[in-house]
Amino acid sequence: MGKQEFEYFLNAVFYHMWLNDKLFTRFINKLLYCTVGVVIRLIAGFICKYKVRNKHHEKISKEYGQHDEYMYGDECGINISGAEHWFRFAYLAYPSIPMFIIAATLYKTYEKICNETCEELFFFIIILIISIIPHILVYCFVEKAVLKNNKYLEYFKQFKKEDKRWNTKWEIITLFFFIGALMSFILAIAAMWLVFLYL
């Protein structure tokens, strides 16, 4: 897979994370509207006069477009921020397995060699640096490919024109990408503990 194909892959996954975040938020909003909203409307119906209620509904109708952009907008909406957080977690989870194993192995080696005679803080800092460097490299590459200067917006325009078959395919790929990230993170922690216990 070349750089261009990998960039396309990352942006398609990010696009579907954003769509899923929007879908989830809309579901929660409808659920709240159907439960809490009904109670509030009933109480407001008894308390407020008819003219006040009409003015309130007109104001809500005017502001709904702004609210929609604020919640679901692809440039600065709440859902794009949520998708960014999940996306960052997913791609940073993958390099965790080797890094956690290396960090645990170094720590156990340090324990055997130094046997509490060396400076513990110094070695801990070295382990931390060795563990973080690959994550920083991955972070920089993915940020440049997707999020820097809102590069993903160019891809989003293209993805919005795609058909249902394409969307279904990438929905499945995104699901497996995220499940893989979760499994990587869990396996990384398990592998680190195995090294601590048996090395």
Side-chain angles (χ1 to χ4, degrees), residues 18 20 28 37-38 50 65 76 83 86 104 131 133 147 165 195 199:
W18 172 63
N20 289 330
I28 295 296
V38 170
Y50 181 74
C76 60
W86 286 113
S131 302
I133 286 172
L147 300 169
R165 190 170 167 231
V195 170
L199 191 69

Side-chain angles (χ1 to χ4, degrees), residues 77-105:
I78 285 179
N79 290 123
I80 203 73
S81 298
E84 280 180 28
H85 293 304
W86 286 113
F87 184 61
R88 284 186 178 117
F89 163 75
Y91 71 72
L92 287 174
Y94 281 101
S96 296
I97 295 174
M99 291 310 99
F100 281 28
I101 291 170
I102 289 168
T105 306

